[in-house]
Amino acid sequence: MRDNALHHAFPIVAAAIGNRFGIQVKVGGDQAYTDGKLIQLPAYNGNDPDYQDYAWGLLAHEAAHLRYSDFTITYGQSVLRRRLCGAIEDVRIEYELAKDFPGTRLTLRTVIEKMIASGGFVAAREEDHPANVLYGYVLKSLRARVLGQTALNPLVEISERVLKFHFPAGAVIRLKGLLSEVPDSLTSESDCLHLADRILTMIEQECEKPVQEDTQQQQNQPVQGDADAEANGSKGDTEPDDGHDHSIANTGDAEPSAESSGSGETTDRDDTSGMELLEQEDGQDYQPLMATLQSASDAYFDRDVFDVVKSALALDDRDAPETVMPVGLKPLGNAAAGLSLLNQVQSESVKIRAALQGWVQSQRLDRSHPACRGRRVIGRRLSQLALSDPKVFARRVVKPAPNTAIHLLLDKSDSMDEPVWGGKNQSVANRLSIALEASMALTLAFEGIAGVNPGMTAFPGRDDTSVFRLLEHGERVRAHSAAFSLRAGGTTPMTEAVWFAAAALLRCREPRKVLLVMTDGQPNDILSTLEILQRCRNSGIETVGVGLGLDVSHLFPAAIMINELRELRSQLFALSKAVLLAAA
């Protein structure tokens, strides 16, 4: 796909990514969200690489939720419990997704790096609510260690120092031990919730320990930065003159800061990379801390990083149309009917393949060209040697195979059930059966030609929100012949069907991509169909229309019309030959 046309293909690429993850994508409107069944992306039409990076990252993250998360889990009244479980679950699902789709590791790392650069992901501050400090440290440290998002390491170091300021030393030590269980010990979101409960129970235990015991732990586990303080001649119990009232740091009574107020607005935080935090005084009473943690509301927490991403993707165009990417279903099919159809078209398919293969091979061999080297001399050019022209040898140049992905998109709407008379015996069949017969013969021929990768989809599926995947690219017709035993029905949701087929083509490795649409009716929405077809062409996908008793040249720059359905097979052959010769 041409880079300068990428922005024209945003909905198609988004659908291709969603399709690859096995999730449904809706593009349109002005907001990004997930409802537990599909992912909504705004109808973006620009060329901002940051926007696209955010979109692909959001798709990956939400796809991981749809694939691996349990949407039935309840968290009770504790906001901290929910946020801790969410932080651990986010890391678990992204880790699992990277097993199946390794490229998502880079996609998600890019989003985190951009969020850090833009101030959407920040380190903890001393005046933050203790619950937010704990949540932020868990999220950042796990992302950095488990997911390899190393740009977070400086933020983790600062956040750990803030954590040590707010929490007992023993709690910090034991927290690291519990987090070391991620990801190996987690197989579900229930496991993540159990770990969050263990963390909270552990903190409660540490807060209830006698003061003398915790003081001894602090002495044995010096806070990071003590060495620097000692080198500067400062004492660990000296309070820095930073203007903060540290006496209320653990009370939880302070008002939430602007960046954690839940308003969605983010203010710049001071650079705390060089700050020296005050240690808790010896004999600090941590018993009130647990109540402070459990009573924390959402207002005290930083926004979820992917909620910030969703806000970054929001558009101002509230009138943008919404188009849902249809679900690709495998039809139930009929194995006996499919095998019968396969046997019926097999002999003709062999003839079509032989003819197409012959045309392709003849085009791959150019006429002989004069060359300086070779095994065969061109007699009539020997006189050129006297003119110091050494090009007297004949050389043939072999062109590469077509290297083309072709996707056939077949309309199976109600009108395709109309009867067609044919043959000497006046046998009757409907339009769809003839179209399926011709398409199967052609697809069967394609799969035997080097450099051609066929696929086929019928629309609509069970309804206008789905399509039937008859043949995926890379599959063999014989193994999926049952899918070709379809019945006509439904309307003509061509926009959605073209979108689905284009997404399938974009996943193919072949550099040349051709979409061939067969239809006997007008699309449900002509304007949106024209738009998606133009996006296909801008994305490097050639579009060809075959109108069955209908002129479709207003939709497709390259189009043919077949008035007699009996002409379909020969016309498809001629059209396919032209497509393959253009590729050879």
Side-chain angles (χ1 to χ4, degrees):
M1 180 170 49
R2 301 188 300 273
D3 291 340
N4 63 354
L6 178 61
H7 65 282
H8 295 295
F10 181 81
I12 300 174
V13 178
I17 295 174
N19 219 3
R20 182 167 173 259
F21 291 148
I23 58 173
Q24 191 177 8
V25 176
K26 178 192 289 185
V27 174
D30 62 336
Q31 299 295 320
Y33 62 85
T34 307
D35 65 3
K37 296 180 180 179
L38 59 80
I39 297 174
Q40 167 91 35
L41 288 176
Y44 180 63
N45 225 4
N47 196 27
D48 179 2
D50 285 347
Y51 189 97
Q52 294 176 40
D53 285 339
Y54 284 148
W56 308 153
L58 180 65
L59 274 177
H61 179 77
E62 297 298 346
H65 272 305
L66 294 180
R67 289 171 67 92
Y68 308 115
S69 289
D70 182 356
F71 290 91
T72 66
I73 283 191
T74 56
Y75 305 96
Q77 298 299 315
S78 172
V79 175
L80 176 58
R81 184 175 187 248
R82 168 168 54 84
R83 296 300 294 267
L84 281 179
C85 178
I88 300 167
E89 171 71 354
D90 279 356
V91 172
R92 182 189 75 86
I93 61 173
E94 290 182 18
Y95 181 80
E96 290 298 319
L97 189 70
K99 290 181 181 178
D100 296 328
F101 305 98
T104 60
R105 186 175 288 268
L106 175 60
T107 300
L108 291 161
R109 186 167 68 233
T110 299
V111 171
I112 297 302
E113 290 172 353
K114 289 182 181 292
M115 292 298 293
I116 295 172
S118 66
F121 220 159
V122 294
R125 297 186 306 176
E126 183 181 327
E127 60 267 30
D128 283 352
H129 192 285
N132 190 44
V133 173
L134 175 63
Y135 159 74
Y137 174 77
V138 170
L139 178 63
K140 296 177 184 70
S141 62
L142 288 180
R143 281 192 170 278
R145 177 178 63 82
V146 177
L147 302 179
Q149 295 166 0
T150 55
L152 287 167
N153 282 337
L155 277 63
V156 174
E157 293 177 7
I158 298 169
S159 297
E160 182 176 342
R161 288 157 61 185
V162 179
L163 185 73
K164 290 177 179 178
F165 171 72
H166 284 284
F167 289 82
V172 176
I173 296 168
R174 291 177 66 186
L175 175 63
K176 291 183 177 180
L178 289 171
L179 294 182
S180 69
E181 299 179 13
V182 182
D184 296 335
S185 66
L186 307 179
T187 60
S188 67
E189 189 168 356
S190 295
D191 290 342
C192 296
L193 185 59
H194 179 58
L195 179 56
D197 286 337
R198 290 170 61 198
I199 290 172
L200 293 175
T201 300
M202 175 274 295
I203 293 174
E204 184 174 13
Q205 293 170 349
E206 290 296 322
C207 289
E208 292 175 350
K209 282 185 177 180
V211 171
Q212 292 81 1
E213 182 179 345
D214 189 70
T215 301
Q216 183 64 37
Q217 285 182 324
Q218 287 184 349
Q219 292 173 349
N220 293 336
Q221 298 290 334
V223 179
Q224 182 180 351
D226 284 353
D228 294 337
E230 196 172 314
N232 293 329
S234 61
K235 295 181 180 179
D237 58 354
T238 300
E239 183 167 318
D241 184 17
D242 58 3
H244 292 299
D245 181 2
H246 301 282
S247 63
I248 64 170
N250 277 325
T251 66
D253 295 332
E255 291 298 321
S257 56
E259 56 270 24
S260 62
S261 64
S263 64
E265 298 179 359
T266 302
T267 58
D268 294 335
R269 289 190 171 188
D270 296 334
D271 182 6
T272 58
S273 59
M275 73 177 183
E276 294 184 6
L277 293 169
L278 175 69
E279 297 177 44
Q280 292 290 357
E281 296 179 358
D282 291 348
Q284 172 70 38
D285 182 8
Y286 289 103
Q287 290 192 8
L289 176 60
M290 203 62 206
T292 300
L293 295 175
Q294 294 288 20
S295 63
S297 66
D298 274 308
Y300 289 99
F301 289 87
D302 288 334
R303 295 177 67 200
D304 178 86
V305 64
F306 279 96
D307 281 343
V308 179
V309 170
K310 291 173 186 176
S311 297
L313 291 173
L315 299 178
D316 294 331
D317 185 6
R318 297 191 176 274
D319 295 325
E322 293 187 359
T323 302
V324 181
M325 170 74 171
V327 178
L329 305 174
K330 276 290 188 181
L332 294 177
N334 182 299
L339 185 59
S340 174
L341 182 63
L342 180 67
N343 292 333
Q344 181 179 338
V345 305
Q346 187 116 29
S347 60
E348 185 162 357
S349 177
V350 171
K351 298 176 184 176
I352 294 174
R353 180 188 306 173
L356 290 175
Q357 185 77 60
W359 277 100
V360 170
Q361 288 179 343
S362 67
Q363 291 297 310
R364 289 179 61 194
L365 289 176
D366 281 350
R367 292 182 178 181
S368 298
H369 294 283
C372 298
R373 300 176 184 177
R375 297 181 178 180
R376 188 165 62 87
V377 174
I378 304 175
R380 65 180 182 276
R381 290 190 58 85
L382 288 175
S383 59
Q384 297 296 108
L385 291 173
L387 302 176
S388 301
D389 183 358
K391 295 181 180 180
V392 296
F393 296 94
R395 172 174 293 180
R396 278 189 164 184
V397 179
V398 178
K399 289 185 177 181
N403 211 7
T404 300
I406 300 179
H407 199 97
L408 281 72
L409 189 58
L410 176 61
D411 177 1
K412 58 166 285 292
S413 58
D414 281 328
S415 57
M416 290 291 284
D417 200 28
E418 293 184 10
V420 177
W421 295 90
K424 295 180 180 179
N425 298 325
Q426 295 294 303
S427 59
V428 64
N430 65 11
R431 290 183 175 185
L432 181 60
S433 62
I434 295 176
L436 283 169
E437 180 183 332
S439 300
M440 177 184 270
L442 187 63
T443 306
L444 198 60
F446 279 154
E447 69 180 25
I449 301 175
V452 181
N453 180 9
M456 187 169 174
T457 299
F459 71 98
R462 293 175 185 167
D463 52 39
D464 287 359
T465 66
S466 63
V467 295
F468 282 140
R469 297 179 290 119
L470 305 189
L471 190 73
E472 302 277 8
H473 290 277
E475 291 181 344
R476 308 293 288 184
V477 174
R478 177 171 290 277
H480 299 275
S481 60
F484 286 76
S485 57
L486 293 176
R487 292 182 179 180
T491 63
T492 312
M494 191 180 297
T495 301
E496 294 80 1
V498 168
W499 189 11
F500 184 92
L505 280 168
L506 284 189
R507 298 198 305 273
C508 296
R509 295 184 177 182
E510 288 76 13
R512 187 162 181 257
K513 307 175 194 301
V514 179
L515 175 62
L516 195 156
V517 183
M518 287 180 279
T519 181
D520 73 335
Q522 291 285 3
N524 290 349
D525 186 337
I526 292 181
L527 292 180
S528 64
T529 299
L530 286 169
E531 180 184 4
I532 197 68
L533 287 169
Q534 186 59 54
R535 286 181 183 269
C536 288
R537 291 187 285 272
N538 290 339
S539 307
I541 298 174
E542 300 171 45
T543 61
V544 180
V546 178
L548 307 179
L550 176 76
D551 182 6
V552 292
S553 59
H554 62 295
L555 296 173
F556 303 89
I560 62 172
M561 181 174 68
I562 299 173
N563 289 313
E564 293 290 332
L565 218 56
R566 288 170 293 186
E567 303 172 1
L568 179 58
R569 188 171 299 147
S570 60
Q571 291 288 350
L572 280 181
F573 169 73
L575 186 63
S576 300
K577 182 176 72 174
V579 167
L580 293 183
L581 294 189

PDB file of all heavy atoms in Angstrom, residues 532-561:
ATOM      1  N   ILE A 532     -16.292   4.123  -0.233  1.00  0.00           N
ATOM      2  CA  ILE A 532     -15.422   3.023   0.159  1.00  0.00           C
ATOM      3  C   ILE A 532     -14.670   2.462  -1.043  1.00  0.00           C
ATOM      4  O   ILE A 532     -13.511   2.053  -0.929  1.00  0.00           O
ATOM      5  CB  ILE A 532     -16.217   1.908   0.882  1.00  0.00           C
ATOM      6  CG1 ILE A 532     -15.277   0.986   1.647  1.00  0.00           C
ATOM      7  CG2 ILE A 532     -17.078   1.120  -0.073  1.00  0.00           C
ATOM      8  CD1 ILE A 532     -14.592   1.611   2.820  1.00  0.00           C
ATOM      9  N   LEU A 533     -15.296   2.467  -2.220  1.00  0.00           N
ATOM     10  CA  LEU A 533     -14.588   2.014  -3.427  1.00  0.00           C
ATOM     11  C   LEU A 533     -13.446   2.960  -3.779  1.00  0.00           C
ATOM     12  O   LEU A 533     -12.369   2.523  -4.217  1.00  0.00           O
ATOM     13  CB  LEU A 533     -15.573   1.900  -4.596  1.00  0.00           C
ATOM     14  CG  LEU A 533     -16.541   0.719  -4.536  1.00  0.00           C
ATOM     15  CD1 LEU A 533     -17.631   0.854  -5.592  1.00  0.00           C
ATOM     16  CD2 LEU A 533     -15.790  -0.602  -4.705  1.00  0.00           C
ATOM     17  N   GLN A 534     -13.669   4.259  -3.589  1.00  0.00           N
ATOM     18  CA  GLN A 534     -12.591   5.218  -3.840  1.00  0.00           C
ATOM     19  C   GLN A 534     -11.452   5.020  -2.843  1.00  0.00           C
ATOM     20  O   GLN A 534     -10.272   5.122  -3.195  1.00  0.00           O
ATOM     21  CB  GLN A 534     -13.118   6.652  -3.751  1.00  0.00           C
ATOM     22  CG  GLN A 534     -12.089   7.715  -4.142  1.00  0.00           C
ATOM     23  CD  GLN A 534     -11.588   7.526  -5.563  1.00  0.00           C
ATOM     24  OE1 GLN A 534     -12.367   7.449  -6.502  1.00  0.00           O
ATOM     25  NE2 GLN A 534     -10.271   7.443  -5.723  1.00  0.00           N
ATOM     26  N   ARG A 535     -11.790   4.743  -1.587  1.00  0.00           N
ATOM     27  CA  ARG A 535     -10.765   4.464  -0.587  1.00  0.00           C
ATOM     28  C   ARG A 535      -9.953   3.224  -0.985  1.00  0.00           C
ATOM     29  O   ARG A 535      -8.746   3.173  -0.776  1.00  0.00           O
ATOM     30  CB  ARG A 535     -11.401   4.253   0.788  1.00  0.00           C
ATOM     31  CG  ARG A 535     -11.896   5.531   1.457  1.00  0.00           C
ATOM     32  CD  ARG A 535     -12.481   5.217   2.824  1.00  0.00           C
ATOM     33  NE  ARG A 535     -13.032   6.382   3.473  1.00  0.00           N
ATOM     34  CZ  ARG A 535     -12.357   7.183   4.286  1.00  0.00           C
ATOM     35  NH1 ARG A 535     -11.081   6.949   4.512  1.00  0.00           N
ATOM     36  NH2 ARG A 535     -12.929   8.226   4.850  1.00  0.00           N
ATOM     37  N   CYS A 536     -10.633   2.235  -1.550  1.00  0.00           N
ATOM     38  CA  CYS A 536      -9.923   1.041  -2.023  1.00  0.00           C
ATOM     39  C   CYS A 536      -8.897   1.418  -3.076  1.00  0.00           C
ATOM     40  O   CYS A 536      -7.730   1.004  -3.013  1.00  0.00           O
ATOM     41  CB  CYS A 536     -10.911   0.028  -2.599  1.00  0.00           C
ATOM     42  SG  CYS A 536     -11.948  -0.804  -1.395  1.00  0.00           S
ATOM     43  N   ARG A 537      -9.332   2.209  -4.046  1.00  0.00           N
ATOM     44  CA  ARG A 537      -8.416   2.583  -5.127  1.00  0.00           C
ATOM     45  C   ARG A 537      -7.273   3.458  -4.602  1.00  0.00           C
ATOM     46  O   ARG A 537      -6.130   3.324  -5.043  1.00  0.00           O
ATOM     47  CB  ARG A 537      -9.193   3.296  -6.235  1.00  0.00           C
ATOM     48  CG  ARG A 537     -10.136   2.350  -6.994  1.00  0.00           C
ATOM     49  CD  ARG A 537     -10.767   3.022  -8.201  1.00  0.00           C
ATOM     50  NE  ARG A 537     -11.814   3.962  -7.817  1.00  0.00           N
ATOM     51  CZ  ARG A 537     -13.092   3.639  -7.643  1.00  0.00           C
ATOM     52  NH1 ARG A 537     -13.478   2.377  -7.776  1.00  0.00           N
ATOM     53  NH2 ARG A 537     -13.988   4.559  -7.328  1.00  0.00           N
ATOM     54  N   ASN A 538      -7.584   4.350  -3.656  1.00  0.00           N
ATOM     55  CA  ASN A 538      -6.523   5.161  -3.061  1.00  0.00           C
ATOM     56  C   ASN A 538      -5.531   4.314  -2.279  1.00  0.00           C
ATOM     57  O   ASN A 538      -4.398   4.719  -2.055  1.00  0.00           O
ATOM     58  CB  ASN A 538      -7.136   6.208  -2.119  1.00  0.00           C
ATOM     59  CG  ASN A 538      -7.882   7.290  -2.856  1.00  0.00           C
ATOM     60  OD1 ASN A 538      -7.657   7.513  -4.049  1.00  0.00           O
ATOM     61  ND2 ASN A 538      -8.783   7.965  -2.171  1.00  0.00           N
ATOM     62  N   SER A 539      -5.981   3.147  -1.851  1.00  0.00           N
ATOM     63  CA  SER A 539      -5.129   2.242  -1.076  1.00  0.00           C
ATOM     64  C   SER A 539      -4.366   1.266  -1.964  1.00  0.00           C
ATOM     65  O   SER A 539      -3.658   0.403  -1.460  1.00  0.00           O
ATOM     66  CB  SER A 539      -5.983   1.446  -0.085  1.00  0.00           C
ATOM     67  OG  SER A 539      -6.766   2.299   0.701  1.00  0.00           O
ATOM     68  N   GLY A 540      -4.534   1.379  -3.267  1.00  0.00           N
ATOM     69  CA  GLY A 540      -3.824   0.489  -4.179  1.00  0.00           C
ATOM     70  C   GLY A 540      -4.596  -0.757  -4.540  1.00  0.00           C
ATOM     71  O   GLY A 540      -4.036  -1.694  -5.125  1.00  0.00           O
ATOM     72  N   ILE A 541      -5.885  -0.826  -4.197  1.00  0.00           N
ATOM     73  CA  ILE A 541      -6.715  -1.977  -4.549  1.00  0.00           C
ATOM     74  C   ILE A 541      -7.497  -1.641  -5.816  1.00  0.00           C
ATOM     75  O   ILE A 541      -8.260  -0.670  -5.845  1.00  0.00           O
ATOM     76  CB  ILE A 541      -7.695  -2.323  -3.413  1.00  0.00           C
ATOM     77  CG1 ILE A 541      -6.937  -2.708  -2.147  1.00  0.00           C
ATOM     78  CG2 ILE A 541      -8.630  -3.456  -3.837  1.00  0.00           C
ATOM     79  CD1 ILE A 541      -7.830  -2.932  -0.938  1.00  0.00           C
ATOM     80  N   GLU A 542      -7.316  -2.421  -6.853  1.00  0.00           N
ATOM     81  CA  GLU A 542      -8.061  -2.222  -8.095  1.00  0.00           C
ATOM     82  C   GLU A 542      -9.484  -2.750  -7.914  1.00  0.00           C
ATOM     83  O   GLU A 542      -9.692  -3.804  -7.306  1.00  0.00           O
ATOM     84  CB  GLU A 542      -7.368  -2.948  -9.241  1.00  0.00           C
ATOM     85  CG  GLU A 542      -5.939  -2.461  -9.492  1.00  0.00           C
ATOM     86  CD  GLU A 542      -5.201  -3.340 -10.484  1.00  0.00           C
ATOM     87  OE1 GLU A 542      -5.815  -3.680 -11.516  1.00  0.00           O
ATOM     88  OE2 GLU A 542      -4.044  -3.693 -10.218  1.00  0.00           O
ATOM     89  N   THR A 543     -10.445  -2.035  -8.429  1.00  0.00           N
ATOM     90  CA  THR A 543     -11.844  -2.451  -8.293  1.00  0.00           C
ATOM     91  C   THR A 543     -12.447  -2.710  -9.668  1.00  0.00           C
ATOM     92  O   THR A 543     -12.345  -1.880 -10.569  1.00  0.00           O
ATOM     93  CB  THR A 543     -12.665  -1.383  -7.556  1.00  0.00           C
ATOM     94  OG1 THR A 543     -12.647  -0.165  -8.301  1.00  0.00           O
ATOM     95  CG2 THR A 543     -12.100  -1.135  -6.166  1.00  0.00           C
ATOM     96  N   VAL A 544     -13.075  -3.866  -9.812  1.00  0.00           N
ATOM     97  CA  VAL A 544     -13.689  -4.269 -11.075  1.00  0.00           C
ATOM     98  C   VAL A 544     -15.129  -4.689 -10.787  1.00  0.00           C
ATOM     99  O   VAL A 544     -15.392  -5.426  -9.834  1.00  0.00           O
ATOM    100  CB  VAL A 544     -12.929  -5.433 -11.725  1.00  0.00           C
ATOM    101  CG1 VAL A 544     -13.586  -5.840 -13.038  1.00  0.00           C
ATOM    102  CG2 VAL A 544     -11.463  -5.070 -11.945  1.00  0.00           C
ATOM    103  N   GLY A 545     -16.065  -4.211 -11.597  1.00  0.00           N
ATOM    104  CA  GLY A 545     -17.464  -4.539 -11.395  1.00  0.00           C
ATOM    105  C   GLY A 545     -18.021  -5.417 -12.499  1.00  0.00           C
ATOM    106  O   GLY A 545     -17.700  -5.224 -13.677  1.00  0.00           O
ATOM    107  N   VAL A 546     -18.833  -6.384 -12.112  1.00  0.00           N
ATOM    108  CA  VAL A 546     -19.543  -7.234 -13.070  1.00  0.00           C
ATOM    109  C   VAL A 546     -21.031  -7.069 -12.795  1.00  0.00           C
ATOM    110  O   VAL A 546     -21.544  -7.538 -11.762  1.00  0.00           O
ATOM    111  CB  VAL A 546     -19.141  -8.714 -12.926  1.00  0.00           C
ATOM    112  CG1 VAL A 546     -19.934  -9.572 -13.903  1.00  0.00           C
ATOM    113  CG2 VAL A 546     -17.644  -8.884 -13.158  1.00  0.00           C
ATOM    114  N   GLY A 547     -21.721  -6.379 -13.673  1.00  0.00           N
ATOM    115  CA  GLY A 547     -23.152  -6.166 -13.502  1.00  0.00           C
ATOM    116  C   GLY A 547     -23.950  -7.257 -14.178  1.00  0.00           C
ATOM    117  O   GLY A 547     -23.810  -7.477 -15.388  1.00  0.00           O
ATOM    118  N   LEU A 548     -24.763  -7.964 -13.415  1.00  0.00           N
ATOM    119  CA  LEU A 548     -25.589  -9.037 -13.963  1.00  0.00           C
ATOM    120  C   LEU A 548     -26.928  -8.446 -14.388  1.00  0.00           C
ATOM    121  O   LEU A 548     -27.848  -8.287 -13.587  1.00  0.00           O
ATOM    122  CB  LEU A 548     -25.787 -10.132 -12.913  1.00  0.00           C
ATOM    123  CG  LEU A 548     -24.497 -10.695 -12.276  1.00  0.00           C
ATOM    124  CD1 LEU A 548     -24.827 -11.744 -11.240  1.00  0.00           C
ATOM    125  CD2 LEU A 548     -23.564 -11.238 -13.339  1.00  0.00           C
ATOM    126  N   GLY A 549     -27.005  -8.072 -15.669  1.00  0.00           N
ATOM    127  CA  GLY A 549     -28.193  -7.404 -16.170  1.00  0.00           C
ATOM    128  C   GLY A 549     -28.305  -5.973 -15.692  1.00  0.00           C
ATOM    129  O   GLY A 549     -29.380  -5.375 -15.751  1.00  0.00           O
ATOM    130  N   LEU A 550     -27.208  -5.418 -15.237  1.00  0.00           N
ATOM    131  CA  LEU A 550     -27.195  -4.069 -14.675  1.00  0.00           C
ATOM    132  C   LEU A 550     -25.889  -3.387 -15.025  1.00  0.00           C
ATOM    133  O   LEU A 550     -24.816  -3.983 -14.914  1.00  0.00           O
ATOM    134  CB  LEU A 550     -27.351  -4.142 -13.146  1.00  0.00           C
ATOM    135  CG  LEU A 550     -27.274  -2.825 -12.376  1.00  0.00           C
ATOM    136  CD1 LEU A 550     -28.575  -2.052 -12.554  1.00  0.00           C
ATOM    137  CD2 LEU A 550     -27.028  -3.098 -10.891  1.00  0.00           C
ATOM    138  N   ASP A 551     -25.975  -2.140 -15.461  1.00  0.00           N
ATOM    139  CA  ASP A 551     -24.775  -1.355 -15.757  1.00  0.00           C
ATOM    140  C   ASP A 551     -24.210  -0.827 -14.439  1.00  0.00           C
ATOM    141  O   ASP A 551     -24.880  -0.088 -13.716  1.00  0.00           O
ATOM    142  CB  ASP A 551     -25.119  -0.191 -16.687  1.00  0.00           C
ATOM    143  CG  ASP A 551     -23.889   0.627 -17.073  1.00  0.00           C
ATOM    144  OD1 ASP A 551     -22.763   0.212 -16.712  1.00  0.00           O
ATOM    145  OD2 ASP A 551     -24.060   1.674 -17.717  1.00  0.00           O
ATOM    146  N   VAL A 552     -22.981  -1.199 -14.091  1.00  0.00           N
ATOM    147  CA  VAL A 552     -22.366  -0.764 -12.830  1.00  0.00           C
ATOM    148  C   VAL A 552     -21.174   0.157 -13.078  1.00  0.00           C
ATOM    149  O   VAL A 552     -20.346   0.353 -12.198  1.00  0.00           O
ATOM    150  CB  VAL A 552     -21.922  -1.975 -11.980  1.00  0.00           C
ATOM    151  CG1 VAL A 552     -23.122  -2.750 -11.486  1.00  0.00           C
ATOM    152  CG2 VAL A 552     -20.972  -2.878 -12.768  1.00  0.00           C
ATOM    153  N   SER A 553     -21.099   0.733 -14.274  1.00  0.00           N
ATOM    154  CA  SER A 553     -19.962   1.608 -14.589  1.00  0.00           C
ATOM    155  C   SER A 553     -19.970   2.881 -13.759  1.00  0.00           C
ATOM    156  O   SER A 553     -18.950   3.560 -13.647  1.00  0.00           O
ATOM    157  CB  SER A 553     -19.965   1.956 -16.079  1.00  0.00           C
ATOM    158  OG  SER A 553     -21.175   2.616 -16.441  1.00  0.00           O
ATOM    159  N   HIS A 554     -21.127   3.232 -13.159  1.00  0.00           N
ATOM    160  CA  HIS A 554     -21.170   4.415 -12.297  1.00  0.00           C
ATOM    161  C   HIS A 554     -20.518   4.138 -10.943  1.00  0.00           C
ATOM    162  O   HIS A 554     -20.211   5.065 -10.192  1.00  0.00           O
ATOM    163  CB  HIS A 554     -22.612   4.865 -12.092  1.00  0.00           C
ATOM    164  CG  HIS A 554     -23.487   3.856 -11.414  1.00  0.00           C
ATOM    165  ND1 HIS A 554     -23.798   2.643 -11.987  1.00  0.00           N
ATOM    166  CD2 HIS A 554     -24.110   3.872 -10.212  1.00  0.00           C
ATOM    167  CE1 HIS A 554     -24.583   1.955 -11.166  1.00  0.00           C
ATOM    168  NE2 HIS A 554     -24.782   2.678 -10.079  1.00  0.00           N
ATOM    169  N   LEU A 555     -20.295   2.859 -10.644  1.00  0.00           N
ATOM    170  CA  LEU A 555     -19.630   2.483  -9.395  1.00  0.00           C
ATOM    171  C   LEU A 555     -18.172   2.096  -9.609  1.00  0.00           C
ATOM    172  O   LEU A 555     -17.318   2.374  -8.759  1.00  0.00           O
ATOM    173  CB  LEU A 555     -20.363   1.297  -8.745  1.00  0.00           C
ATOM    174  CG  LEU A 555     -21.801   1.519  -8.279  1.00  0.00           C
ATOM    175  CD1 LEU A 555     -22.414   0.199  -7.827  1.00  0.00           C
ATOM    176  CD2 LEU A 555     -21.835   2.538  -7.144  1.00  0.00           C
ATOM    177  N   PHE A 556     -17.896   1.451 -10.739  1.00  0.00           N
ATOM    178  CA  PHE A 556     -16.563   0.899 -10.997  1.00  0.00           C
ATOM    179  C   PHE A 556     -15.997   1.474 -12.288  1.00  0.00           C
ATOM    180  O   PHE A 556     -16.638   1.349 -13.343  1.00  0.00           O
ATOM    181  CB  PHE A 556     -16.637  -0.625 -11.116  1.00  0.00           C
ATOM    182  CG  PHE A 556     -17.218  -1.311  -9.920  1.00  0.00           C
ATOM    183  CD1 PHE A 556     -18.591  -1.533  -9.832  1.00  0.00           C
ATOM    184  CD2 PHE A 556     -16.411  -1.736  -8.875  1.00  0.00           C
ATOM    185  CE1 PHE A 556     -19.139  -2.164  -8.737  1.00  0.00           C
ATOM    186  CE2 PHE A 556     -16.954  -2.376  -7.769  1.00  0.00           C
ATOM    187  CZ  PHE A 556     -18.318  -2.582  -7.694  1.00  0.00           C
ATOM    188  N   PRO A 557     -14.797   2.070 -12.239  1.00  0.00           N
ATOM    189  CA  PRO A 557     -14.172   2.566 -13.469  1.00  0.00           C
ATOM    190  C   PRO A 557     -13.956   1.454 -14.486  1.00  0.00           C
ATOM    191  O   PRO A 557     -14.071   1.667 -15.693  1.00  0.00           O
ATOM    192  CB  PRO A 557     -12.836   3.140 -12.973  1.00  0.00           C
ATOM    193  CG  PRO A 557     -13.044   3.420 -11.519  1.00  0.00           C
ATOM    194  CD  PRO A 557     -13.992   2.377 -11.041  1.00  0.00           C
ATOM    195  N   ALA A 558     -13.632   0.262 -13.996  1.00  0.00           N
ATOM    196  CA  ALA A 558     -13.498  -0.911 -14.868  1.00  0.00           C
ATOM    197  C   ALA A 558     -14.704  -1.801 -14.610  1.00  0.00           C
ATOM    198  O   ALA A 558     -14.867  -2.344 -13.514  1.00  0.00           O
ATOM    199  CB  ALA A 558     -12.206  -1.661 -14.560  1.00  0.00           C
ATOM    200  N   ALA A 559     -15.578  -1.924 -15.604  1.00  0.00           N
ATOM    201  CA  ALA A 559     -16.820  -2.668 -15.389  1.00  0.00           C
ATOM    202  C   ALA A 559     -17.292  -3.300 -16.681  1.00  0.00           C
ATOM    203  O   ALA A 559     -17.033  -2.796 -17.784  1.00  0.00           O
ATOM    204  CB  ALA A 559     -17.902  -1.742 -14.837  1.00  0.00           C
ATOM    205  N   ILE A 560     -17.985  -4.434 -16.541  1.00  0.00           N
ATOM    206  CA  ILE A 560     -18.646  -5.069 -17.674  1.00  0.00           C
ATOM    207  C   ILE A 560     -20.088  -5.370 -17.267  1.00  0.00           C
ATOM    208  O   ILE A 560     -20.406  -5.453 -16.072  1.00  0.00           O
ATOM    209  CB  ILE A 560     -17.952  -6.372 -18.121  1.00  0.00           C
ATOM    210  CG1 ILE A 560     -17.981  -7.415 -16.988  1.00  0.00           C
ATOM    211  CG2 ILE A 560     -16.528  -6.102 -18.561  1.00  0.00           C
ATOM    212  CD1 ILE A 560     -17.492  -8.785 -17.433  1.00  0.00           C
ATOM    213  N   MET A 561     -20.953  -5.514 -18.251  1.00  0.00           N
ATOM    214  CA  MET A 561     -22.349  -5.859 -17.991  1.00  0.00           C
ATOM    215  C   MET A 561     -22.692  -7.115 -18.761  1.00  0.00           C
ATOM    216  O   MET A 561     -22.355  -7.247 -19.946  1.00  0.00           O
ATOM    217  CB  MET A 561     -23.283  -4.716 -18.397  1.00  0.00           C
ATOM    218  CG  MET A 561     -24.750  -5.021 -18.109  1.00  0.00           C
ATOM    219  SD  MET A 561     -25.853  -3.617 -18.431  1.00  0.00           S
ATOM    220  CE  MET A 561     -25.735  -3.509 -20.227  1.00  0.00           C
TER     221      MET A 561
END
